Amino acid sequence: MYRDESAKGTAAKIAQGRLKASEVLQACLDRVQQYNPAVNALVTPAKDAQSTAAGIDRQIGAGQALGALLGVPVTIKDCFATAGLLTTSSHPPLRAYIPEQDATAVARLKAAGAVIVGKTNLPQLAGDAQCWSPVFGATNNPWNLALTSGGSSGGSAAAVAMGFSFLDLGSDIGGSIRIPAAYCGVLGLKATENRIPRTGHIPHLPGAPRTVRHMLSLGVLARHVEDLRLGLEVLDGPDGLDHEVPPPRVSKAVGRAGRVLRVAWWDDFAGLPLCARTRRGLMQTVERLRQAGVQVERCCPADFDFVQAWQAYGQIAGAEIGLGMPRMERQLLRALGVLLPRQQPLTRSLIQGMGLDLRRYNQALDSRERLISSLERFLQSWDAWLCPVAATVAYGHCPRKAWQKPPNIQVGAESVPYYQACIGMTTPFSLTGSPVVSMPAGVFDGLPVGLQWVGRRWQDEALLDVCAEVEPILGGCPRPALLDQG
């Protein structure tokens, strides 16, 4: 009930008195009660959700109307501070932390009339491409409970896929919105870096200096493109605290005046293999677009070097994340890095970055600027760039401690280093700060495949226009079979 409706349409019906906020919430809570024990996406319920929804119904009855998300049930990734509600970021020292103030993004969702259902699971400090928490355990994939839901917004994607909420607030520094969205068969928007304030996001730890200053972007997960747009509209703009967020600027799609949609696509990330499902999803999407009259072409910026992008990403992320890590843990990781072969450039660079070498860090920032320029020039000729999200679809759980050597991931017949397989195709666009939408390409042999649509920096709305145009061509978000099981 209501699961397949959009947040935008549901809010309109509640505002018109055609639906009650309390009834919509109860439908979500019923699904939580039935399916969450198996999926483990929602880890901390909001105790005031029902009273909030009832209050909205009373306001509607009195002729009052509030906000673009009026009465819409939403969930919050547990790395965002929520006033009066447990906020752990899956970090054991924070297992009892209850903030006094909401993160800016949370406050904006509430101000828009959203009803907070609760907090969703993530790996410790949002630091992994799978969703295993030392506080709450693993979130299971709604399509196959033996598989990961992806990370770090794994609870977010699973909650949206299962209809526990219409929208989830997520964050992404290396694929943390896009990967779970792809693995769970939902949509995910990583907004342009610095479009949405990061105030109240953990990391950084409460009361500690901010260390992560590049590449962290916020966004939303949903089941409809129009809801990604709605989420961006609610969350966008400065808050007077995160001073790297510029004043609002609404980008508009360039009128094509009869010109067909132009989409570039690419599949070769420095030789990374693609599993059979992902390859089929990409090629089927390209063919569907072509049949629908979209101009599609396999091409890549001539001077966009993926290995260079991995190295720059690793050096920047390693240095900034490393600043906030305990010294002993950082030293253990650096010792591990000595043993890594040069054929693992992403992993080596992440660990090298933790050495806090300012010369390497600055060189990486220079590389980032060059790669941003390369991609922006390329996208002047295309409405979007279509690429895989990851080398493979969802895989089996493999929990580990931060200092332990990550496992290889099987991609078809090849055994691929963990970070290359999981985030090798997302980190280049974290490095460039580009807006990216992860969109389902279909279900293949029982598992969803997601593809990422990359747009120009600050042109998030134009990218969403493209995604809205292709959404009916690609068939929208599939429904997990688990929802139809008693």
Side-chain angles (χ1 to χ4, degrees):
M1 186 178 184
Y2 310 124
R3 185 266 177 193
D4 298 323
E5 299 288 333
S6 70
K8 183 175 182 178
T10 298
K13 290 178 181 178
I14 291 172
Q16 297 160 5
R18 296 165 58 194
L19 283 178
K20 288 189 175 295
S22 54
E23 294 174 348
V24 176
L25 173 65
Q26 191 58 53
C28 291
L29 294 178
D30 288 345
R31 282 189 287 272
V32 170
Q33 182 177 16
Q34 182 174 0
Y35 298 111
N36 196 57
V39 177
N40 193 34
L42 193 79
V43 292
T44 303
K47 297 179 180 178
D48 62 351
Q50 290 173 309
S51 62
T52 300
I56 290 171
D57 289 336
R58 288 193 296 271
Q59 290 174 328
I60 296 297
Q64 300 179 38
L66 298 171
L69 287 169
L70 183 65
V72 173
V74 304
T75 44
I76 308 293
K77 185 179 179 181
D78 192 33
C79 58
F80 290 94
T82 43
L85 185 62
L86 186 68
T87 300
T88 73
S89 201
S90 284
H91 187 46
L94 297 179
R95 64 171 69 246
Y97 175 59
I98 299 179
E100 296 181 358
Q101 291 186 318
D102 285 323
T104 294
V106 173
R108 288 178 175 177
L109 291 173
K110 289 181 177 179
V115 177
I116 308 299
V117 178
K119 308 294 286 290
T120 47
N121 201 16
L122 72 160
Q124 183 168 196
L125 297 176
D128 204 347
Q130 56 181 311
C131 193
W132 182 84
S133 163
V135 178
F136 299 111
T139 294
N140 300 317
N141 193 300
W143 292 85
N144 183 330
L145 299 176
L147 306 181
T148 182
S149 60
S152 64
S153 307
S156 304
V160 170
M162 293 302 296
F164 298 169
S165 63
F166 287 72
L167 198 76
D168 188 284
L169 175 62
S171 58
D172 187 314
I173 195 173
S176 287
I177 288 174
R178 292 163 283 165
I179 294 166
Y183 287 179
C184 294
V186 299
L187 293 155
L189 165 68
K190 179 192 85 69
T192 298
E193 181 182 346
N194 293 327
R195 275 215 57 169
I196 302 171
R198 294 155 292 195
T199 309
H201 183 276
I202 305 171
H204 58 275
L205 292 173
R210 179 179 166 191
T211 60
V212 177
R213 296 187 175 274
H214 296 90
M215 305 186 298
L216 174 62
S217 298
L218 306 191
V220 292
L221 298 95
R223 297 184 295 271
H224 300 272
V225 172
E226 68 177 5
D227 293 343
L228 298 183
R229 185 188 301 274
L230 183 59
L232 179 63
E233 290 172 355
V234 168
L235 298 171
D236 186 32
D239 64 350
L241 297 170
D242 184 349
H243 295 288
E244 294 177 9
V245 178
R249 47 170 294 171
V250 177
S251 63
K252 297 180 180 179
V254 178
R256 291 200 296 276
R259 177 177 66 79
V260 300
L261 190 66
R262 304 185 73 237
V263 175
W265 66 276
W266 192 246
D267 58 346
D268 183 5
F269 284 63
L272 268 183
L274 292 177
C275 76
R277 288 182 173 101
T278 301
R279 174 71 64 184
R280 285 166 56 198
L282 175 61
M283 299 316 298
Q284 177 176 290
T285 297
V286 169
E287 185 57 29
R288 284 180 173 178
L289 293 173
R290 184 175 288 116
Q291 291 179 359
V294 177
Q295 181 180 340
V296 288
E297 181 181 330
R298 183 181 184 272
C299 57
C300 177
D303 52 353
F304 196 92
D305 186 318
F306 287 105
V307 173
Q308 187 181 93
W310 291 336
Q311 291 171 338
Y313 172 87
Q315 293 286 353
I316 296 168
E320 297 188 358
I321 294 169
L323 279 172
M325 292 175 63
R327 179 177 295 181
M328 181 61 71
E329 189 171 293
R330 194 170 71 237
Q331 289 175 341
L332 285 168
L333 283 168
R334 288 178 62 193
L336 172 65
V338 174
L339 304 175
L340 290 173
R342 293 188 177 276
Q343 289 78 7
Q344 297 188 26
L346 180 51
T347 311
R348 283 176 59 89
S349 296
L350 279 165
I351 294 174
Q352 286 174 347
M354 291 178 184
L356 309 183
D357 183 324
L358 284 178
R359 184 182 298 276
R360 280 181 170 170
Y361 178 70
N362 190 60
Q363 288 172 344
L365 290 174
D366 284 344
S367 292
R368 167 178 144 104
E369 290 181 359
R370 289 194 297 271
L371 290 163
I372 288 172
S373 296
S374 171
L375 183 56
E376 289 293 299
R377 286 194 301 270
F378 175 74
L379 286 171
Q380 290 177 5
S381 302
W382 300 96
D383 295 303
W385 195 21
L386 175 66
C387 306
V389 169
T392 185
V393 293
Y395 50 87
H397 298 287
C398 43
R400 63 184 179 87
K401 296 186 182 298
W403 50 265
Q404 290 177 321
K405 181 180 178 181
N408 280 13
I409 300 296
Q410 199 67 29
V411 181
E414 296 189 42
S415 181
V416 180
Y418 182 79
Y419 288 113
Q420 302 290 116
C422 295
I423 62 174
M425 297 179 179
T426 50
T427 50
F429 310 121
S430 296
L431 180 74
T432 61
S434 308
V436 187
V437 171
S438 177
M439 182 180 292
V443 178
F444 299 86
D445 299 327
L447 291 177
V449 168
L451 303 175
Q452 52 185 341
W453 297 73
V454 184
R456 297 182 65 186
R457 286 166 56 95
W458 309 111
Q459 302 297 313
D460 304 54
E461 289 84 358
L463 175 63
L464 289 168
D465 285 344
V466 172
C467 293
E469 189 167 339
V470 302
E471 185 177 26
I473 298 172
L474 303 183
C477 291
R479 179 183 176 92
L482 182 61
L483 275 172
D484 299 318
Q485 298 175 8

